[in-house]
Amino acid sequence: MNLTDANPDDLIARIQSGESIETIAAEYGADPVRLLDYCGNPFVYSSEWYDYGYHLLKCKTDTASFEEIRLQYEEKGYFKKLDFYFDQIQLPNRPVRWLEIGCHLGLSAYAAARRFPQIQIDMFDFSQKAVEWCQRTFPFPERARIWRCSCDHIHFGDDPLNDQYQVVTCLDVTEHLPKEVYINAVREICRVLSPYGILLLQQGNIPSPSHINVMNEKSLIEHFSSVNLKWLDTKPFVPKSVILHKFQKTPAGRPFEYKPTSLRKE
Ligand SMILES: C[S@@+](CC[C@H](N)C(=O)[O-])C[C@H]1O[C@@H](n2cnc3c(N)ncnc32)[C@H](O)[C@@H]1O
């Protein structure tokens, strides 16, 4: 059967009911990216959608080079925002372990590695295509580990990464997460931070089908403060209408105060 014989609404219904995008595409002998393009790229929260609908269809990462993508984002002022964020932290002049959550195209990781030569950067994403892209193109491969992982269960192989990172960045990620994944991610981020480690957190707040969890900033602060994290400050980055929150992990010993009930009020 040809893809052009298919009714796009039927395809959308099948994709949104949770059927595999790859399996449906195979029925029509089509590439999954072409299938999604044909039916208007309906959003569904899955690593498959992030592979085909986000990384390949939206960001065109199969054809673009890192430099092309970097320039596109440079023109949009993306790196100015990151420079402003990184102005908010001071790092010692010795090796520092940094974790970038949901690394996508590796741009925040790149900006961090470019600015701070002493960091070893770990980065993961739950999209295999994003991971492959970063593994292929990240400009500082000798200082990076890049792997596939979900932020609700952070580990590197057998290593649970407890108390490992002096800095964690979670930028433009929480708004993409279903509530249960988000709740666990809050706990996991706290777990992998080292005592006194710093979290830089910012949610994207532009309306978009994949932004399924945009929250008011007060709730975001409340949720991350309900684990062993102390809120330090909040700074708006005015040109982009986004807000950076800075937290510090409190030393081990403080009782675990995670209160998932406060999340259900959203
Ligand atoms: C807007 S991008 C993040 C941008 C990136 N942090 C940066 O600053 O350059 C959102 C990313 O979150 C990833 N993502 C969504 N759910 C995830 C999960 N459960 N675990 C890890 N990554 C996830 C998506 O695959 C996507 O690459």
Side-chain angles (χ1 to χ4, degrees):
M1 218 192 320
N2 274 326
L3 187 57
T4 45
D5 297 331
N7 178 341
D9 289 338
D10 293 342
L11 296 175
I12 293 171
R14 289 180 66 185
I15 291 166
Q16 292 193 323
S17 75
E19 267 192 71
S20 154
I21 296 166
E22 281 178 4
T23 309
I24 304 171
E27 260 176 44
Y28 292 95
D31 181 86
V33 177
R34 204 177 138 241
L35 172 94
L36 285 175
D37 201 18
Y38 175 73
C39 61
N41 198 12
F43 172 74
V44 58
Y45 183 77
S46 68
S47 54
E48 245 197 342
W49 184 83
Y50 276 95
D51 279 344
Y52 297 114
Y54 197 67
H55 290 281
L56 292 179
L57 182 55
K58 241 175 122 189
C59 303
K60 313 249 177 287
T61 52
D62 50 343
T63 50
S65 68
F66 184 88
E67 188 53 14
E68 283 165 337
I69 298 271
R70 190 191 69 75
L71 281 171
Q72 280 171 25
Y73 278 76
E74 187 90 64
E75 278 162 21
K76 290 193 249 171
Y78 193 75
F79 293 101
K80 285 205 175 77
K81 178 186 91 167
L82 294 171
D83 281 339
F84 172 78
Y85 290 175
F86 300 158
D87 285 345
Q88 314 306 319
I89 51 171
Q90 284 173 346
L91 298 187
N93 207 4
R94 58 182 144 78
V96 165
R97 296 196 66 193
W98 183 305
L99 177 67
E100 156 71 351
I101 308 266
C103 54
H104 183 33
L105 301 168
L107 295 174
S108 289
Y110 161 75
R114 181 176 69 173
R115 170 138 177 193
F116 301 112
Q118 70 272 53
I119 69 169
Q120 289 292 328
I121 189 145
D122 277 3
M123 54 211 254
F124 68 77
D125 199 287
F126 88 151
S127 157
Q128 181 61 32
K129 301 289 179 197
V131 169
E132 286 166 10
W133 156 265
C134 290
Q135 287 172 336
R136 204 169 58 240
T137 66
F138 189 64
F140 301 97
E142 67 293 346
R143 289 164 54 205
R145 291 196 305 185
I146 305 163
W147 74 101
R148 180 161 187 246
C149 184
S150 180
C151 57
D152 60 345
H153 178 208
I154 302 176
H155 60 106
F156 181 75
D158 292 339
D159 184 350
L161 301 171
N162 288 334
D163 300 327
Q164 286 294 303
Y165 297 102
Q166 283 90 38
V167 182
V168 173
T169 39
C170 183
L171 307 173
D172 291 308
V173 175
T174 55
E175 72 277 13
H176 290 264
L177 307 176
K179 272 286 185 264
E180 328 76 74
V181 178
Y182 167 72
I183 290 167
N184 286 324
V186 173
R187 182 170 44 74
E188 286 291 89
I189 287 171
C190 178
R191 179 179 63 75
V192 300
L193 267 168
S194 61
Y196 302 107
I198 295 289
L199 166 67
L200 295 180
L201 171 72
Q202 175 247 296
Q203 68 166 343
N205 49 19
I206 295 169
S208 150
S210 62
H211 288 182
I212 53 176
N213 188 35
V214 178
M215 286 174 288
N216 68 57
E217 301 290 335
K218 205 167 153 263
S219 301
L220 201 62
I221 294 176
E222 197 185 297
H223 301 156
F224 279 82
S225 302
S226 69
V227 291
N228 271 1
L229 293 172
K230 182 175 177 233
W231 171 78
L232 295 181
D233 64 17
T234 284
K235 294 248 161 92
F237 182 68
V238 177
K240 293 226 170 281
S241 305
V242 285
I243 298 180
L244 177 75
H245 305 291
K246 189 163 74 168
F247 295 84
Q248 184 168 41
K249 183 162 168 179
T250 57
R254 190 180 126 179
F256 192 61
E257 289 174 19
Y258 184 56
K259 295 183 196 112
T261 44
S262 65
L263 294 166
R264 295 200 195 104
K265 284 188 205 148
E266 293 288 318

